[in-house]
Amino acid sequence: MKTLNFLILFLFALELFAQNNITMQKKYYYCPDCTRDCDEFEESGSCPKCGMKLLSNIWDEKTTEASKKKISVCFYLQDGVEVLDFAGPMEVFSLAGFKVFTVSKTGKPVVAQGILKVVPDYGISTAPDADMVAFFGGNPIAFRDSELIEWIKKYEKNTRYIFSVCSGAFALGHADLLHGQTVTTFHRRIEELRTAFPNATVLADVRFVDNGRVITTAGISAGIDGALHLVARIMGDGVARDVAREMEYDKWIPNEGFIKDHLK
């Protein structure tokens, strides 16, 4: 009798687990362009508002981190920032369903490469916390600003990932975030980065370097590779492949970078 009762309880518990697992794995589709809560659909297809291909919240048969909570990304932009440095990763993260917002030091517009005016969402005094903070190349002298560096040191403590493209690595260096890290940057600034931050191991001829929390990339288009790699880490390879396909970025080769051994 005891055995029968135990069997009944076991089967009941198993059923509850299965139901909870199905709930966790509930599949829906969302618009990668709008990425609002109201833009969720039960069937695949295209968004009726903007025509973008709908993406699934579940890849690789598992509930991803981003399906539980939208990953927020703070893009810090300075005057002279390289357009593709930030625009490429912005496209990747946006298509992957991340919530991206922009910040400049004062909150006033910045001019990218002297040609594109960008109106940021916040200044450093009003920027909300984010899961990731990102810095980009173009006018790296701006990263010597003591007020900005103090903000970076405080802000990064509440982030899970720190990401840089091109000479954005200098922002990390001045904020003491490269100590003991393996990193990379724009090919013309490799030696400059080595000299400025001798406690970092600076690699040349790699598209990106992933230390775990700190991810740095080479220049310009390499930021796309680094962003896709990070999307694959957080959300799964299937999401990254879908994003690359949507961008028609057929150059991407997964793991084409230096990845620390403990992450492989």
Side-chain angles (χ1 to χ4, degrees), residues 85 89 93 132-137 143 161-173 178 183-186 193 207-209 213-219 222-224 226-227 230:
D85 272 14
F93 293 139
M132 184 193 317
V133 61
F135 300 90
F136 308 94
F143 299 136
Y161 306 100
I162 303 167
F163 183 82
S164 74
V165 178
C166 195
S167 54
F170 285 84
L172 278 57
L178 296 187
V183 300
T184 194
T185 188
F186 182 51
L193 193 67
R207 298 290 285 176
F208 64 84
V209 176
R213 185 176 181 229
V214 176
I215 299 95
T216 58
T217 84
I224 299 174
L230 194 51

Side-chain angles (χ1 to χ4, degrees), residues 65-259:
E65 177 180 350
S67 70
K68 302 173 187 175
K69 176 182 176 295
K70 236 170 232 183
I71 305 297
S72 56
V73 190
C74 171
F75 273 38
Y76 181 82
L77 306 178
Q78 71 279 6
D79 273 319
V81 63
E82 160 71 40
V83 173
L84 191 56
D85 272 14
F86 75 87
M90 182 177 284
E91 180 84 1
V92 172
F93 293 139
S94 176
L95 284 172
F98 292 16
K99 179 182 178 182
V100 181
F101 62 86
T102 54
V103 174
S104 70
K105 182 182 177 183
T106 64
K108 294 180 180 179
V110 297
V111 180
Q113 287 185 272
I115 54 174
L116 177 65
K117 182 178 286 187
V118 181
V119 181
D121 298 305
Y122 305 97
I124 59 175
S125 63
T126 59
D129 290 340
D131 298 300
M132 184 193 317
V133 61
F135 300 90
F136 308 94
N139 187 22
I141 294 175
F143 299 136
R144 297 177 185 175
D145 183 287
S146 59
E147 185 180 357
L148 172 62
I149 295 306
E150 286 306 309
W151 174 78
I152 296 173
K153 289 180 178 180
K154 292 178 181 177
Y155 192 83
E156 64 87 13
K157 295 182 185 302
N158 295 317
T159 64
R160 296 182 61 186
Y161 306 100
I162 303 167
F163 183 82
S164 74
V165 178
C166 195
S167 54
F170 285 84
L172 278 57
H174 289 304
D176 300 325
L177 295 172
L178 296 187
H179 190 93
Q181 302 289 310
T182 302
V183 300
T184 194
T185 188
F186 182 51
H187 65 92
R188 292 182 182 175
R189 293 191 177 272
I190 291 289
E191 292 304 323
E192 183 181 349
L193 193 67
R194 285 173 176 160
T195 300
F197 309 107
N199 291 318
T201 300
V202 182
L203 302 183
D205 301 320
V206 292
R207 298 290 285 176
F208 64 84
V209 176
D210 185 356
N211 295 270
R213 185 176 181 229
V214 176
I215 299 95
T216 58
T217 84
I220 313 177
S221 64
I224 299 174
D225 297 73
L228 285 168
H229 167 73
L230 194 51
V231 167
R233 256 190 63 189
I234 296 172
M235 300 180 70
D237 291 342
V239 182
R241 285 194 295 269
D242 282 351
V243 169
R245 188 179 302 113
E246 189 68 27
M247 294 174 64
E248 297 194 6
Y249 188 64
D250 56 4
K251 184 247 165 278
W252 182 53
I253 302 174
N255 299 323
E256 187 187 33
F258 179 84
I259 305 170

Side-chain angles (χ1 to χ4, degrees), residues 12-28 57-64 67-68:
F12 179 73
L14 188 63
E15 176 67 18
L16 284 177
F17 174 79
Q19 290 179 359
N20 289 335
N21 193 48
I22 290 171
T23 300
M24 288 178 63
Q25 296 288 328
K26 183 178 180 181
K27 190 171 186 176
Y28 65 86
N57 71 314
I58 296 176
W59 291 268
D60 298 336
E61 298 182 349
K62 66 180 180 180
T63 302
T64 66
S67 70
K68 302 173 187 175

